[in-house]
């Protein structure tokens, strides 16, 4: 499970107050590179990479290639037309000097940047489609100019450029064709799969799946073909054969440079990619979770289930990272005390786990994120998602230190002042939100997701009972654990915060969490409901507290709405009550209670308030979400020959989204088909 990052968003952004000396950044380097509509584009830095020994750099190099090799899988999973559309707009963007009308070129470039940031034509947070704002005629003229200048388009056999453009016109221009990538709450009578435009199901409804048992739940596309339901398995020889073969080849090249526990995990992953069998995926999960000490690690596969309205199919992602030692010491204090926190959870003692084990917590610096994890990246990750493996073998948590740092460094100060009721509140946010955000992210991952147990009869699989409500419920549970323990003296005792600061840190975090329920509405510019699971969970918690405690006031001044946290004691008490109920719902698999909780507090909102928030952020030009430009690696070969042994791996920072995305797309072009 991952926490999606967002600037100035409690529980998901921020960094420690100090940077480790070894990774001190040049003062004047660029974080915020550009604004594209309501997205910010930010450069990610991985300062510790240059100091890694050559063996680890070489390992990272091969894993980086493996993460790139799968990038296009996620584009295709998100939308069946995604790669074709990307080929068309990239052909135009590459033809800057082809005599294309400058206004048209600028529009196509803007659309293409949004397309890259969101891995297709659907907004990452709202799940809604965005469209080209040129006319189809101007778009066609640009394409023809590009073709004349030598650009290649993805023409099917015998197809002309005009036929291609006509075929894709509804996808580029019509917001009502495939309007949402994932729709968990369609209007009455509509099916969650049929009304979701993603490519995880073809012609299949929930009704079709009644009584159908998937053999490959996580890693298959389900297709209805002449009335028959078929699973197309993601594996070597199956769907995405070309990409998966390349991933396997790079993983195999990485194995000689890995520690023994990591090599075991990589071998298990290769086996899973070859067979696609659930038993092999489980073996991989176990091997991965048992590798607790390797300095370099990767996540590569079909992992998170947010893209699927059913919450079953995994979106492909690739992450490569190394451990940030200094920051890791802090997190490990939480992990070492995991049993203490478990024993003090405010829920029914029968849902407390005994012998909490294997919570491995690392602060990491990311070198590359692709697919479901980049360019829009989480700030914290806890895996594996398989509940049975979590209960028997534990889980690994990582906090993405350099991502948090880049969020913090690129946040505009107006963000905090505009939505704070008093200057003191804004000052508290500036002073403490980075530290508090780091701490709550770590608690969310390390003692949140890893906690609690469910009733035996659910067989370690509460997802199956709680269905499309599960992800949001589980994110809420982890957030609530962090909010609940933040004021606890235990945090002072284990040295995570100073006693003198704790009250102010708690207040700053509760205020920020409360404000966020209002501020996050800026991301849902159309419609009146929230789709993204982390946003649902945060909305639900704050609105539940408003309805059931006296901790939060809704105030207004000069026609502006403010959510004001007034009573931290009442806030914490409410959090404890809600957490007990959320854990009960998960443990019992109480679907109807989960649905009612989110339908009442987490999904629907007042569009008038949203419009006001949007007007306020637009007036200040504040971004709604962030896409990251990743570090770039280059292998230096002995003798300069492509086949020579790797003598060094150089890291650099492109500071240019377009250059990086065009380079990535070119690198994997041959793997398709
Ligand atoms: Zn989470």
């Amino acid at each position: 499970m991952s926490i999606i990052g967002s600037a100035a968003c409690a529980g998901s952004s921020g960094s420690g107050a100090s940077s480790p000396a070894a990774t001190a950044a040049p003062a004047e380097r660029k974080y915020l590179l550009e604004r594209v509509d309501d997205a910010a584009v930010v450069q990610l830095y991985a300062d510790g990479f240059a100091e890694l020994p050559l063996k680890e750099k070489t390992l990272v190099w091969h894993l980086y290639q493996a993460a790139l090799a799968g990038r296009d899988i996620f584009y295709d999973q998100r939308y069946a037309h995604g790669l074709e559309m990307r080929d068309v707009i990239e052909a135009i963007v590459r033809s800057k000097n082809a005599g294309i009308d400058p206004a048209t070129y600028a529009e196509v470039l803007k659309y293409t940047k949004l397309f890259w940031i969101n891995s297709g034509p659907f907004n990452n947070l709202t799940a809604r489609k965005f469209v080209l704002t040129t006319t189809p005629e101007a778009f066609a003229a640009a394409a023809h100019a590009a073709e004349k200048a030598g650009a290649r388009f993805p023409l099917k056999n015998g197809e002309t450029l005009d036929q291609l453009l006509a075929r894709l016109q509804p996808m580029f221009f019509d917001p009502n064709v495939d309007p949402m990538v994932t729709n968990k709450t369609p209007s009455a009578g509509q099916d969650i799969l049929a009304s979701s435009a993603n490519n995880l199901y073809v012609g299949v409804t929930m009704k079709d799946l009644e009584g159908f048992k998937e053999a490959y739940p996580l890693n298959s596309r389900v297709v209805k073909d002449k009335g028959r339901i078929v699973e197309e398995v993601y594996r070597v020889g199956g769907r995405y054969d070309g990409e998966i073969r390349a991933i396997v080849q790079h993983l195999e090249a990485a194995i000689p440079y890995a520690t023994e526990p990591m090599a075991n995990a990589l071998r298990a992953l290769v086996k899973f990619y070859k067979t696609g069998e659930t038993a092999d995926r489980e073996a991989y999960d176990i091997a991965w979770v048992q590798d607790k000490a390797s300095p370099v690690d990767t996540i590569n596969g079909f992992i998170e289930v947010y893209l699927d309205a059913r919450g079953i199919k995994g979106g492909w992602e690739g992450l490569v990272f190394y451990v940030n030692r200094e920051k890791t010491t802090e997190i490990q204090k939480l992990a070492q005390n995991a049993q203490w926190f478990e024993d003090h959870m405010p829920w029914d003692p029968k849902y407390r786990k005994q012998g909490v084990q294997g919570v491995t917590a690392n602060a990491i610096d990311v070198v590359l994120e692709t697919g479901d994890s980049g360019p829009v990246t989480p700030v914290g990750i806890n895996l594996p998602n398989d509940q049975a493996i979590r209960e028997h073998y534990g889980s690994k948590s990582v906090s993405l230190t350099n991502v948090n740092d880049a969020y913090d460094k690129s946040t505009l100060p107006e963000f905090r002042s505009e939505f704070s009721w008093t200057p003191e509140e804004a000052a508290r946010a500036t002073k403490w939100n980075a530290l508090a955000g780091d701490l709550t992210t770590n608690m969310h991952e390390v003692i949140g997701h890893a906690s609690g147990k469910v009733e035996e009869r659910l067989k370690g699989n509460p997802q199956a009972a709680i269905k499309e409500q599960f992800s949001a419920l589980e994110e809420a549970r982890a957030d609530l654990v962090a909010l609940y323990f933040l004021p606890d003296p235990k945090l002072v005792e284990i040295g995570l915060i100073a006693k003198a600061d704790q009250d102010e840190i708690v207040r700053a975090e509760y205020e920020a969490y409360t404000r966020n329920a209002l501020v996050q509405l800026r991301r849902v510019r159309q419609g009146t409901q929230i789709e993204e699971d982390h946003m649902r969970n945060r909305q639900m918690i704050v609105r539940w507290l408003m309805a059931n405690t006296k901790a939060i006031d809704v105030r207004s001044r000069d026609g502006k709405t403010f959510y004001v946290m007034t009573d931290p004691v009442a806030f914490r008490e409410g959090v404890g009550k809600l957490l007990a109920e959320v854990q009960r719902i998960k443990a019992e698999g109480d679907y109807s209670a989960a649905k009612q909780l989110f339908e009442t507090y987490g999904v629907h909102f007042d569009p008038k308030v949203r419009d006001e928030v949007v007007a306020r952020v637009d007036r200040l030009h504040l971004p709604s979400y962030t896409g990251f430009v990743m570090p770039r690696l280059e292998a230096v070969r002995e003798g300069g020959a492509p086949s020579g042994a790797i003598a060094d791996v150089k890291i650099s920072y492109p500071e240019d989204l377009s250059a990086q995305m065009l380079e990535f797309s070119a690198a994997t072009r041959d793997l398709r088909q």
Side-chain angles (χ1 to χ4, degrees), residues 319-335:
L319 289 93
V320 187
F321 50 88
Y322 58 86
V323 174
N324 180 322
R325 295 271 166 220
E326 271 176 77
K327 290 271 178 186
T328 295
T329 314
E330 269 175 41
I331 295 193
Q332 284 175 345
K333 289 179 184 166
L334 283 173

Side-chain angles (χ1 to χ4, degrees), residues 96-206:
K96 188 164 190 213
N97 300 316
I100 298 167
D101 165 56
T104 305
Y105 185 86
E107 271 309 307
V108 174
L109 181 59
K110 187 184 89 175
Y111 175 86
T112 306
K113 286 177 178 174
L114 290 174
F115 200 96
W116 283 324
I117 293 168
N118 292 286
S119 301
F122 304 95
N123 182 290
N124 219 293
L125 291 162
T126 64
R128 283 172 186 268
K129 181 171 169 180
F130 54 88
V131 295
L132 257 171
T133 48
T134 62
T135 62
E137 295 71 30
F139 186 57
H144 279 286
E147 190 184 45
K148 217 167 276 165
R152 283 178 40 213
F153 285 85
L155 303 174
K156 296 214 183 278
N157 260 346
E159 192 175 45
T160 66
L161 180 55
D162 284 322
Q163 285 165 339
L164 169 71
L165 296 175
R167 185 160 58 78
L168 293 178
Q169 183 168 325
M171 292 83 187
F172 278 121
F173 291 96
D174 189 343
N176 299 316
V177 170
D178 299 332
M180 287 186 80
V181 65
T182 305
N183 190 352
K184 291 179 189 164
T185 323
S187 41
Q190 285 199 317
D191 179 75
I192 59 172
L193 300 184
S195 55
S196 297
N198 65 56
N199 193 21
L200 303 173
Y201 305 89
V202 180
V204 175
T205 63
M206 288 298 276

Side-chain angles (χ1 to χ4, degrees), residues 1-3 306 444-445 449 475 478 534:
M1 287 156 222
S2 62
I3 319 185
Y306 304 115
H444 172 113
E445 297 295 352
H449 283 310
E475 293 311 318
H534 302 80

Side-chain angles (χ1 to χ4, degrees), residues 191-193 201 203-214 222 224 227-229 310 467:
D191 179 75
I192 59 172
L193 300 184
Y201 305 89
V204 175
T205 63
M206 288 298 276
K207 200 160 176 8
D208 293 325
L209 293 177
E210 278 169 22
F212 178 78
K213 183 131 175 49
E214 287 152 292
V222 179
K224 191 168 168 185
R228 249 172 49 98
I229 308 274
R310 276 171 83 212
K467 296 182 266 193

Side-chain angles (χ1 to χ4, degrees), residues 564-629:
V564 191
M565 199 292 300
T566 56
D567 185 343
V569 174
F571 190 103
R572 190 200 190 196
E573 232 177 73
V575 162
K577 265 190 212 151
L578 178 57
L579 177 52
E581 171 62 2
V582 164
Q583 172 64 31
R584 182 200 65 77
I585 293 172
K586 178 182 177 185
E588 294 179 9
D590 187 346
Y591 172 75
S592 63
K595 185 165 174 151
Q596 198 189 341
L597 191 58
F598 284 98
E599 283 292 320
T600 310
Y601 301 112
V603 175
H604 309 283
F605 59 82
D606 178 356
K608 278 202 287 269
V609 176
R610 183 267 321 278
D611 293 346
E612 176 209 315
V613 170
V614 166
R616 286 161 75 181
V617 300
D618 282 355
R619 200 159 46 238
L620 295 166
H621 301 287
L622 301 175
S624 302
Y625 65 109
T626 299
F628 285 89
V629 176

